Amino acid sequence: MKEKSTFYIILIFVLIILSSINIQAVSVHRVKSGENIYQVSQKYGVTPGEIVSLNNLPNPDSIFPKQVLIIPGINQRGAYRVKKGDTLYEISKKIHIPINVLAQTNHLNNNQLYPRQLLYIPIRYRYPLQHQVKAGDTIYKLARKYGIETTEITIFNQLKSTELQPGEILKIPVLIPGDSPGYNGPYYTRDFPDTFFRYGNTNQYKIAITFDDGPDGTYTPWILDILKKYNVPATFFLMGKRIGNYPEIVKRIVNEGHIAASHSWSHPDLTKLSQAELALEIEKTEKTLENITGLKTKLLRPPYGAVSSTLLENMKEINYKVINWTVDSRDWLDRDVDQILINTLPNINKDTIILFHSAGGTNHDLSATAEVLPEIIQTLQMLGYQFVNLDELLGINAYK
Ligand code: ZN
């Protein structure tokens, strides 16, 4: 009897150890002084090259104390670790991503794999769009609409039949319509080059930080304190109806060298408004900002990042610049310092616009946003990035 229970206890331990190895997730490492990349890679059982490529490190021989490194893992959201004997066909079936997509993303030659290799999962598969099936939708039509292959829809959604049910929700592996190479719908950055922006074009290691949904009395001032300490400029896309409650904070934004811009008056999906409603959302916010700061903004971050050709035509007419983002920190959802680091650092490159939030709804805790900023700022500065504001990154004027 006793032997049997000892056996089970050992078995449980072995299972715990095995499962913890298998589910090792992407993680965050903070470099200690004297540490080099080989020591870090050994500690986590990954290769230095994997760390270099995930973190876009320009010089693997120099990492700095306090620098944040994202450590690759077997997290299915970010990467898949190849096991002995795995074939691309089996992996594709297991993680529901077509073979050709995996091969392209990972630059595989002849689909050859080696054990412990990390296969990256394209970010559009990690954060897909959702599409609710309407009557008349077919997989072929959806694939054309979103510029992807039909197999990307069938495999990703594990569809057994080609019949779609109206109302059914499909995961579509595109980030923003217009993002994928084969896309043949509206392609906003191309069609509205002077009006719609998602990234800069300086071709330099410059980054602009943006904060949506403020002002408020808690997080916006906290964030301003941090930006001041590190001498980093940012753009605050403010909600018109919140501005009147915090005029001093709005003045502080401008006085401390940041840009105060429009995030509409009441945060609706602007693509669903009538002309009159849209004009009101834009004008009321612009006027309120002008009364407090003396500046007439012409920058708009549309709520939810939602844009349409009609909206962009309208904004072009009044000489507004519509600014979305390159990298979404997902701060308001994840609310965790390490997860925000994982969401941002590996995706940052030249000319990146990063999206954060400086206010939320009632009782929405955004502490992680404020807490993560010093690490993001310091790590990216160590990598040679310079924080600039949107006007410099995009070569535009922020005000009329
Ligand atoms: Zn918003």
Side-chain angles (χ1 to χ4, degrees):
M1 186 62 208
K2 202 168 173 213
E3 265 174 23
K4 214 173 182 185
S5 60
T6 314
F7 169 75
Y8 279 116
I9 289 169
I10 292 173
L11 182 70
I12 286 167
F13 267 102
V14 168
L15 285 176
I16 289 172
I17 290 166
L18 280 178
S19 63
S20 70
I21 292 169
N22 278 324
I23 58 168
Q24 180 205 335
V26 174
S27 57
V28 170
H29 178 79
R30 293 170 173 86
V31 176
K32 293 171 204 63
S33 86
E35 214 171 26
N36 65 43
I37 196 156
Y38 303 95
Q39 292 164 331
V40 177
S41 63
Q42 279 200 332
K43 180 174 173 193
Y44 293 93
V46 298
T47 68
E50 288 168 352
I51 296 179
V52 169
S53 84
L54 187 59
N55 292 274
N56 304 314
L57 300 183
N59 180 3
D61 291 327
S62 62
I63 56 174
F64 309 87
K66 286 190 175 175
Q67 180 175 354
V68 173
L69 292 174
I70 307 301
I71 308 297
I74 326 172
N75 185 343
Q76 293 235 341
R77 261 173 61 191
Y80 176 85
R81 172 84 67 186
V82 175
K83 294 178 196 64
K84 218 178 156 192
D86 266 351
T87 64
L88 211 50
Y89 173 77
E90 286 162 356
I91 296 169
S92 156
K93 280 191 79 165
K94 204 183 295 181
I95 62 178
H96 317 303
I97 299 180
I99 291 177
N100 62 329
V101 172
L102 285 173
Q104 267 168 27
T105 308
N106 294 283
H107 311 286
L108 300 182
N109 286 326
N110 306 321
N111 295 353
Q112 260 180 351
L113 300 174
Y114 55 88
R116 295 190 53 70
Q117 181 176 7
L118 268 188
L119 293 181
Y120 286 100
I121 293 171
I123 193 160
R124 61 198 175 93
Y125 276 87
R126 292 161 56 193
Y127 306 118
L129 277 190
Q130 300 214 328
H131 177 93
Q132 184 165 29
V133 174
K134 291 186 252 327
D137 276 351
T138 63
I139 294 172
Y140 177 74
K141 274 192 198 164
L142 292 180
R144 262 188 75 98
K145 175 178 157 87
Y146 289 107
I148 54 179
E149 291 170 35
T150 52
T151 50
E152 296 199 79
I153 297 174
T154 52
I155 293 177
F156 194 37
N157 291 280
Q158 299 170 261
L159 299 179
K160 303 267 183 292
S161 116
T162 52
E163 295 282 309
L164 297 177
Q165 301 302 324
E168 180 180 7
I169 306 280
L170 292 177
K171 291 180 294 176
I172 306 288
V174 291
L175 280 183
I176 298 168
D179 250 10
S180 45
Y183 190 67
N184 55 10
Y187 197 154
Y188 302 121
T189 42
R190 181 194 63 199
D191 297 344
F192 296 91
D194 301 320
T195 303
F196 181 62
F197 300 88
R198 286 190 43 233
Y199 36 78
N201 53 7
T202 66
N203 198 27
Q204 292 171 13
Y205 289 90
K206 292 184 175 174
I207 302 175
I209 313 188
T210 63
F211 296 92
D212 284 10
D213 297 351
D216 73 344
T218 310
Y219 300 107
T220 310
W222 186 1
I223 288 166
L224 284 168
D225 289 346
I226 294 167
L227 296 175
K228 192 175 188 181
K229 180 171 173 197
Y230 291 93
N231 197 20
V232 162
T235 297
F236 290 80
F237 289 103
L238 304 172
M239 263 170 72
K241 69 173 186 187
R242 287 180 170 172
I243 292 172
N245 298 331
Y246 305 99
E248 293 310 313
I249 292 171
V250 177
K251 277 184 201 152
R252 191 181 155 195
I253 289 174
V254 174
N255 289 341
E256 296 185 358
H258 309 294
I259 294 172
S262 171
H263 191 40
S264 82
W265 182 262
S266 63
H267 211 276
D269 178 342
L270 298 177
T271 64
K272 304 226 161 91
L273 301 187
S274 70
Q275 290 278 350
E277 290 167 330
L278 175 63
L280 205 63
E281 285 284 334
I282 301 300
E283 285 163 16
K284 251 169 103 180
T285 309
E286 181 183 310
K287 199 95 214 113
T288 312
L289 272 173
E290 189 188 2
N291 287 340
I292 294 171
T293 65
L295 296 164
K296 272 168 108 77
T297 184
K298 57 177 191 175
L299 304 190
L300 171 74
R301 161 79 42 83
Y304 319 103
V307 292
S308 66
S309 301
T310 313
L311 174 67
L312 294 174
E313 290 290 355
N314 281 317
M315 294 298 104
K316 189 176 169 182
E317 208 140 281
I318 59 170
N319 194 23
Y320 257 62
K321 310 291 176 190
V322 180
I323 320 282
N324 272 359
W325 55 86
T326 327
V327 172
D328 182 354
S329 69
R330 296 168 60 88
D331 57 342
W332 66 280
L333 264 176
D334 290 331
R335 292 184 249 172
D336 175 81
V337 168
D338 283 7
Q339 191 58 48
I340 296 172
L341 291 167
I342 292 167
N343 295 343
T344 49
L345 289 178
N347 300 310
I348 286 168
N349 221 312
K350 293 174 181 174
D351 285 314
T352 296
I353 302 170
I354 314 180
L355 166 64
F356 291 103
H357 295 80
S358 80
T362 320
N363 297 329
H364 195 115
D365 186 353
L366 285 171
S367 311
T369 303
E371 285 162 5
V372 80
L373 282 175
E375 289 198 299
I376 289 194
I377 292 169
Q378 287 178 306
T379 294
L380 291 172
Q381 283 177 338
M382 287 169 193
L383 293 176
Y385 287 97
Q386 187 194 352
F387 290 91
V388 297
N389 222 333
L390 282 178
D391 47 359
E392 182 178 340
L393 192 82
L394 304 175
I396 56 172
N397 291 320
Y399 304 105
K400 289 178 188 167

